[in-house]
């Protein structure tokens, strides 16, 4: 017989009980997934927030008045960072080194070309300030970044910076991030290389 | 939209300022709840720059299920807080109710020329907030049994703190407008100020003062229903620029109990206001944004 997954029936309960009960069930579940049933949108949104913060994947279905929230635990439950991310490239400019800007752009291209040779697995690349232009359409290294991402690298660009340079619509690779996430990566990834 | 309290001019040099507020318990300790309810009720008087004189208790209480001792502790908390404000409790009224509720009707006075309303903000003014945000989220976490002792202490202290010193400081520094932050959250009360003043405003997430762990608990779904209602009501007037996380949005909409004063002050008097606030013992007054100029009450949020 198929093993039934745990169901948390939090219908009719006042905030914050639904999210508390779901979290407890999620922590207790050895592996796999649970389903929470609620009947309010506030409970739904709060449970989705909690599960997302714990890196779970979430699927929401409505059946009449009841809302079913199916939550699947990740392999590394409770940690936002993937365990294998061990090298962070913190790219603060669109040129590499101080001096001629033309030379700096060439050096940056050479750098990312060389990096593709090593593969992307375990690497995080964060772009801030004019560095974000490297992840946007028209960038000389966009193809290399795409390859690195395909290879397993995580690529993040600062949203405030994209807005400043009016490049949000032109982001070509990776995700948009914020200063909280950037700070978390700088503190948690064992090795950081500043460019 | 109304101001924080009602104002009635008695004489050319004297106006009455009156307000009433009550709610269900936000903390378990009845004495602390009494203090918080009183600080919250008095806050509307302070938001207008006025001085409280008298207060009347409003009580709903299940005397069969909760002991008379609990009620007397609530009233003692309220009375002590009113005394701290230099006012007196003249009396009150109580009714039987299944769920306890407590609050006060407060009367204050002010010279009509010195009244600080929520509609005087001018283009170029800076916006200063005097208490950290996140009381609704931390109260939710407290109800869920998740709050640590340090966070619980910080929550109680901020909610029980009078806005008296903040009001004194803003009068000294020539504030152009003020409102206190309560159930409609920072954005709800800011929207009232901006709309009533006929201006547009902007707020920076990177400047918001927050209670300890408030951002973490918001991300964990400890968000009260009131925050969702506030968002639904206010979203049409709010524009987001840059990255504003879901947790930060929740904090901006989080309903506050006995929140701080939001003060508009001309830019050239900002330093004067901040030093006056610090002299009054307000540890983290923050410039959280500014008035852009004439407008229809639009709020721009700049992310991090």
């Amino acid at each position: 017989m198929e093993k039934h997954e745990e169901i948390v029936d939090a219908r009719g309960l006042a905030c914050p009980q639904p999210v508390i009960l779901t979290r407890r069930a999620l922590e207790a579940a050895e592996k796999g997934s649970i389903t929470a049933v609620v009947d309010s949108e506030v409970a739904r949104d709060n449970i989705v927030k909690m599960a997302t913060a714990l890196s779970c994947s979430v699927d929401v279905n409505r059946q009449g008045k009841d809302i079913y929230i199916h939550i699947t635990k990740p392999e590394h439950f409770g940690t936002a960072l993937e365990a294998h991310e061990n090298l962070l490239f913190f790219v603060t400019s669109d040129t590499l080194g101080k001096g001629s800007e033309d030379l700096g752009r060439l050096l940056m291209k050479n750098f990312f070309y060389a990096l593709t040779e090593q593969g992307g697995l375990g690497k995080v690349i964060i772009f801030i300030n004019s560095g974000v232009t490297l992840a946007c359409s028209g960038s000389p290294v966009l193809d290399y970044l795409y390859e690195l991402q395909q290879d397993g690298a995580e690529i993040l660009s600062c949203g405030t910076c994209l807005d400043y340079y009016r490049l949000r619509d032109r982001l070509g690779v990776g995700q948009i991030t914020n200063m909280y996430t950037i700070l978390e990566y700088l503190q948690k990834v064992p090795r950081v290389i500043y460019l | 939209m109304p101001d924080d309290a009602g104002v009635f001019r008695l004489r050319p040099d004297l106006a009455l300022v009156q307000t009433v507020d009550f709610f269900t318990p936000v903390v378990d300790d009845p004495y602390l709840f009494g203090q918080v309810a009183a600080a919250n009720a008095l806050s509307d008087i302070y938001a207008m720059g006025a001085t409280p004189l008298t207060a009347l208790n409003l009580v709903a209480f299940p005397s069969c299920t909760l002991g008379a001792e609990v009620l007397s502790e609530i009233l003692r908390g309220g009375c002590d807080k009113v005394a701290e404000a230099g006012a007196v409790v003249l009396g009150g009224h109580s009714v039987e109710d299944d769920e306890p509720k407590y609050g006060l009707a407060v009367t204050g006075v002010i010279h009509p020329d010195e009244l600080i309303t929520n509609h005087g903000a001018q283009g170029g003014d800076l916006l200063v907030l005097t208490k950290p945000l996140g009381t609704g989220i931390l109260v939710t976490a407290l109800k869920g049994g998740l709050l640590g002792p340090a966070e619980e202490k910080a929550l109680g202290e901020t909610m029980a703190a009078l806005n008296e010193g903040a009001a004194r400081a803003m009068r000294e520094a020539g504030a152009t407008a003020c409102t206190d932050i309560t159930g409609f959250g920072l954005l709800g009360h800011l929207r009232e100020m901006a709309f009533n003043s006929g201006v547009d405003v902007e707020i920076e997430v990177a400047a918001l003062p927050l209670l300890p762990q408030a951002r973490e608990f918001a991300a964990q779904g400890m968000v009260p229903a009131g925050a969702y209602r506030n968002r639904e009501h206010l979203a049409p007037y709010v524009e987001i620029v840059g990255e504003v996380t879901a947790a930060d949005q929740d904090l901006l909409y989080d309903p506050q109990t006995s929140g701080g004063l939001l003060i508009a002050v001309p830019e050239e008097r900002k330093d004067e206001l901040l030093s006056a606030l610090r002299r009054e013992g307000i540890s983290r007054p923050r410039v959280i944004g500014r008035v852009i100029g004439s407008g229809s009450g639009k709020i721009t949020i700049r992310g991090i």
Side-chain angles (χ1 to χ4, degrees), chain B residues 9 22-24 26 32 38 42 79 85 89 101 106 110 114 135 143 145 199 203 210 225 228 237 244 263 282 303:
Chain B
R9 191 161 73 171
F22 65 106
F23 45 66
T24 55
V26 286
L32 179 60
L42 287 156
C79 200
V89 177
K101 299 172 188 76
V106 187
I110 192 168
E114 290 172 4
T135 67
K143 285 179 182 165
V199 295
I203 293 292
L210 301 182
Y228 290 95
Y237 316 112
V244 182
I263 304 166
I282 290 151

Side-chain angles (χ1 to χ4, degrees), chain B residues 27 64 160 169 269:
Chain B
V27 289
C64 298
R269 301 194 69 177

Side-chain angles (χ1 to χ4, degrees), chain B residues 218-232:
Chain B
Q220 288 168 27
M222 293 294 124
V223 181
Y228 290 95
R229 282 197 295 274
N230 288 341
R231 178 205 291 258
E232 202 172 311

Side-chain angles (χ1 to χ4, degrees), chain B residues 23-43:
Chain B
F23 45 66
T24 55
V26 286
V27 289
D28 289 336
D29 177 356
Y31 180 73
L32 179 60
F33 170 54
Q35 288 187 303
V36 169
N40 184 70
L42 287 156
S43 181

Side-chain angles (χ1 to χ4, degrees), chain A residues 116-117 120 142-153 173:
Chain A
T116 58
E117 298 295 302
L142 195 61
D143 291 343
Y144 302 148
L145 292 177
Y146 189 70
E147 277 179 35
L148 286 162
Q149 182 177 255
Q150 293 295 98
D151 246 12
V173 63

